[in-house]
Amino acid sequence: MIYELDGVIRPYAWGSRTAIPALLGRAPSDEPAAELWFGAHPDDPSRVQDTTLDRLIEADPERMLGAATVAAFGPRLPFLLKVLAAETALSIQVHPNLAQAQAGYAAEDARGVPRDSPQRNYRDPNHKPELLCALTEFDALCGFRPVRQTLRLLAALDVAELAPYRELLAAGGLRAAFTALVELDEPGKLVAAVVAGLPRLAGTEWADLGAALTRVARDFPGDRGLAVALVLNFVRLAPGEAIFLGAGNVHAYLQGTGVEIMANSDNVLRCGLTAKHIDVAELVRITDFTPLAEPRCPARAGRFDVPVPDFELSVVDVDGRAEIAADGPQILLCADGSARMHASIGARVALRRGAAVFLAADHAATVTGEATLFRARPNVA
C-alpha cells in the first residue's frame, strides 16, 4: 500500500533554476523549475512505476482513498501537494469559493467560452484554498492590511500621487481604494511615483516591504500590481512558518521556496504582476475585503489547522522512529534527511530528500531514520 511517486516539474518562467534541483540532488536546470507536483491532478499526475496515481485511484477508489474521502469528494484525490520555488514574483491573484466557482464555470460554459481559452476565469467547478509552508525565507503578499496600518504606510511613503487613494481608503475603506487601483487604465505614472518613493521606507517598520517591492519593480516595470501591493499585508516567512489563502484572499508569492498544498483546482483571477487575462469586475466581485490582521497560519502540534475539508498539512520530525496513523489517503514528502518507511503489510521504501510516497487509505506505517516529512491528507474524519 506504499507507492513511490515520481514528481513532475513545471517550468514556469518565474521559477528558480537551482532550488528544486538542489532538493532532488541534481545539478541546476537549464530552464526554470518552478513547481514539483505530487498527486493525481489530471494535468500532471505523478508516475507510479508503469502507470500514474490518478489511474491507480480510478481503478479502485475505495481501496486507495477510503470510504470517507470518496463520500466527501467522489473518486478523486481532493488535494495537490507541491514544492514551489519562486525566483521572481507570481501574479497578484484571488481564488473563488465553491459556490462562486460552480456558478462561474457553468456561466462560462453556457456562453461557449472554451475551457482552455486564456480569457476564461473558471476552468473547473471547484474552489482553490491553499496553504504554503516556507522551506527557506519566503516573501509574500497575503490579504488586506488593516486600514489604519496602511494609512501609516502611505504617510511614510509620502507620494503625492497616492493622495486620492489615501482619501478613498480613509473614507470608503478597502473596497473603494482597491477597486480604484485595479481599474487604472494607465498606471505607469502612479507606479513610477510609488517606486521613486520606496527608498523613503528604509529604516522604518516598512523597510522589508520597500526592499521587496523595489526588487519586484525591476521585473515588472510600470505594473499596477506595485500600487495594489500597498494595501496588502507583506509577510516574510521564516522556514517552518505558513500562510493560508482562503477564498477571496488577494495574494502573491514574491520569492522563496516552500511546500504548498491546495484543493484540486485551476481557478485564478489576476489583477497585477502579470501579462495574463485580467477581469477586474469579476475579481472585485469575488474578493473578500475583510482585513487580515495576522496573515500567518500557526501550527499546533505540527499540524496546520485550516477551515477546509480538502486537505490538511502537518510536519513530522522523525528522530529515530515515528508512527504514521491510518488516516485516509496520504502523501508524505521528505524535505530533509533520510528515512525508511515500513507499511503495516510489510512493504518498505526509502525516503530521501525530495522524495515522496502515497500511502493508501486505512494503512498505517512506521518511519525510521532522521528526517523531516510533510504529511498531506484530506481533512475529513
Short mmCIF file of all heavy atoms in Angstrom, two decimals, residues 93-97 100 143-144 245-251 283 286-289:
data_model
loop_
_atom_site.label_atom_id
_atom_site.label_comp_id
_atom_site.label_asym_id
_atom_site.label_seq_id
_atom_site.Cartn_x
_atom_site.Cartn_y
_atom_site.Cartn_z
N GLN A 93 -3.32 37.67 -7.15
CA GLN A 93 -4.45 36.85 -7.57
C GLN A 93 -5.40 36.57 -6.43
O GLN A 93 -5.11 36.83 -5.27
CB GLN A 93 -3.94 35.53 -8.14
CG GLN A 93 -3.10 34.72 -7.17
CD GLN A 93 -2.41 33.54 -7.84
OE1 GLN A 93 -2.88 32.42 -7.76
NE2 GLN A 93 -1.28 33.82 -8.51
N VAL A 94 -6.56 36.02 -6.81
CA VAL A 94 -7.59 35.64 -5.84
C VAL A 94 -8.30 34.41 -6.39
O VAL A 94 -8.39 34.22 -7.61
CB VAL A 94 -8.57 36.81 -5.59
CG1 VAL A 94 -9.33 37.17 -6.84
CG2 VAL A 94 -9.52 36.50 -4.46
N HIS A 95 -8.79 33.56 -5.49
CA HIS A 95 -9.49 32.34 -5.87
C HIS A 95 -10.94 32.40 -5.37
O HIS A 95 -11.21 32.97 -4.30
CB HIS A 95 -8.80 31.10 -5.29
CG HIS A 95 -7.34 31.02 -5.61
ND1 HIS A 95 -6.86 31.06 -6.89
CD2 HIS A 95 -6.25 30.92 -4.80
CE1 HIS A 95 -5.53 30.97 -6.86
NE2 HIS A 95 -5.15 30.89 -5.61
N PRO A 96 -11.87 31.77 -6.10
CA PRO A 96 -13.28 31.80 -5.70
C PRO A 96 -13.59 30.78 -4.61
O PRO A 96 -12.84 29.82 -4.40
CB PRO A 96 -14.00 31.44 -6.99
CG PRO A 96 -13.04 30.50 -7.69
CD PRO A 96 -11.66 31.06 -7.37
N ASN A 97 -14.74 30.99 -3.94
CA ASN A 97 -15.24 29.92 -3.07
C ASN A 97 -15.96 28.89 -3.93
O ASN A 97 -16.07 29.03 -5.16
CB ASN A 97 -16.13 30.48 -1.95
CG ASN A 97 -17.40 31.15 -2.46
OD1 ASN A 97 -17.96 30.79 -3.49
ND2 ASN A 97 -17.87 32.16 -1.73
N GLN A 100 -19.10 30.16 -5.89
CA GLN A 100 -18.70 31.06 -6.97
C GLN A 100 -18.07 30.29 -8.13
O GLN A 100 -18.32 30.59 -9.30
CB GLN A 100 -17.71 32.09 -6.43
CG GLN A 100 -18.32 33.10 -5.48
CD GLN A 100 -17.28 33.88 -4.70
OE1 GLN A 100 -16.11 33.47 -4.61
NE2 GLN A 100 -17.68 35.00 -4.12
N GLY A 143 -3.58 38.89 1.85
CA GLY A 143 -4.74 39.53 2.44
C GLY A 143 -4.56 41.02 2.64
O GLY A 143 -3.47 41.58 2.48
N PHE A 144 -5.65 41.69 3.00
CA PHE A 144 -5.63 43.14 3.16
C PHE A 144 -5.11 43.54 4.55
O PHE A 144 -5.59 43.04 5.57
CB PHE A 144 -7.03 43.72 2.97
CG PHE A 144 -7.49 43.69 1.54
CD1 PHE A 144 -8.45 42.76 1.13
CD2 PHE A 144 -6.98 44.56 0.60
CE1 PHE A 144 -8.87 42.72 -0.18
CE2 PHE A 144 -7.39 44.53 -0.71
CZ PHE A 144 -8.35 43.60 -1.12
N LEU A 245 -4.40 30.64 2.40
CA LEU A 245 -5.01 31.53 1.43
C LEU A 245 -6.39 30.98 1.08
O LEU A 245 -6.54 30.11 0.22
CB LEU A 245 -4.12 31.61 0.18
CG LEU A 245 -2.66 31.96 0.52
CD1 LEU A 245 -1.72 31.56 -0.60
CD2 LEU A 245 -2.51 33.42 0.86
N GLY A 246 -7.39 31.47 1.78
CA GLY A 246 -8.76 31.02 1.56
C GLY A 246 -9.42 31.77 0.43
O GLY A 246 -8.83 32.66 -0.21
N ALA A 247 -10.68 31.44 0.16
CA ALA A 247 -11.43 32.09 -0.91
C ALA A 247 -11.48 33.59 -0.67
O ALA A 247 -11.69 34.06 0.45
CB ALA A 247 -12.84 31.52 -0.96
N GLY A 248 -11.27 34.36 -1.74
CA GLY A 248 -11.35 35.81 -1.66
C GLY A 248 -10.11 36.50 -1.17
O GLY A 248 -10.05 37.74 -1.18
N ASN A 249 -9.09 35.77 -0.74
CA ASN A 249 -7.86 36.35 -0.21
C ASN A 249 -6.98 36.80 -1.38
O ASN A 249 -6.53 35.98 -2.19
CB ASN A 249 -7.13 35.30 0.65
CG ASN A 249 -5.81 35.80 1.21
OD1 ASN A 249 -4.96 36.29 0.48
ND2 ASN A 249 -5.62 35.62 2.50
N VAL A 250 -6.72 38.09 -1.49
CA VAL A 250 -5.83 38.61 -2.52
C VAL A 250 -4.39 38.38 -2.07
O VAL A 250 -4.02 38.74 -0.96
CB VAL A 250 -6.08 40.11 -2.77
CG1 VAL A 250 -5.18 40.63 -3.88
CG2 VAL A 250 -7.55 40.36 -3.12
N HIS A 251 -3.59 37.77 -2.94
CA HIS A 251 -2.25 37.38 -2.50
C HIS A 251 -1.29 37.26 -3.68
O HIS A 251 -1.72 37.23 -4.85
CB HIS A 251 -2.30 36.03 -1.77
CG HIS A 251 -2.79 34.90 -2.63
ND1 HIS A 251 -4.13 34.63 -2.85
CD2 HIS A 251 -2.12 33.95 -3.35
CE1 HIS A 251 -4.26 33.58 -3.64
NE2 HIS A 251 -3.05 33.16 -3.96
N LEU A 283 -13.10 39.86 -10.57
CA LEU A 283 -12.17 39.77 -9.44
C LEU A 283 -12.69 40.54 -8.23
O LEU A 283 -12.68 40.03 -7.11
CB LEU A 283 -10.80 40.30 -9.86
CG LEU A 283 -9.73 40.28 -8.77
CD1 LEU A 283 -8.41 39.78 -9.32
CD2 LEU A 283 -9.54 41.68 -8.16
N ILE A 286 -15.60 38.68 -6.36
CA ILE A 286 -15.32 37.52 -5.52
C ILE A 286 -14.32 37.81 -4.40
O ILE A 286 -14.05 36.96 -3.56
CB ILE A 286 -14.82 36.32 -6.34
CG1 ILE A 286 -13.41 36.55 -6.88
CG2 ILE A 286 -15.80 35.98 -7.46
CD1 ILE A 286 -12.76 35.29 -7.41
N THR A 287 -13.75 39.03 -4.37
CA THR A 287 -12.75 39.36 -3.36
C THR A 287 -13.39 39.56 -1.99
O THR A 287 -14.46 40.16 -1.87
CB THR A 287 -11.99 40.63 -3.78
OG1 THR A 287 -11.20 40.36 -4.93
CG2 THR A 287 -11.08 41.12 -2.67
N ASP A 288 -12.72 39.06 -0.97
CA ASP A 288 -13.12 39.27 0.41
C ASP A 288 -12.34 40.48 0.95
O ASP A 288 -11.12 40.44 1.05
CB ASP A 288 -12.81 38.02 1.23
CG ASP A 288 -13.23 38.13 2.69
OD1 ASP A 288 -13.70 39.22 3.10
OD2 ASP A 288 -13.08 37.15 3.43
N PHE A 289 -13.06 41.54 1.30
CA PHE A 289 -12.41 42.78 1.73
C PHE A 289 -12.26 42.88 3.25
O PHE A 289 -11.97 43.95 3.78
CB PHE A 289 -13.18 43.99 1.19
CG PHE A 289 -13.04 44.14 -0.31
CD1 PHE A 289 -14.01 43.65 -1.16
CD2 PHE A 289 -11.92 44.73 -0.85
CE1 PHE A 289 -13.88 43.78 -2.54
CE2 PHE A 289 -11.76 44.86 -2.23
CZ PHE A 289 -12.75 44.38 -3.08
#
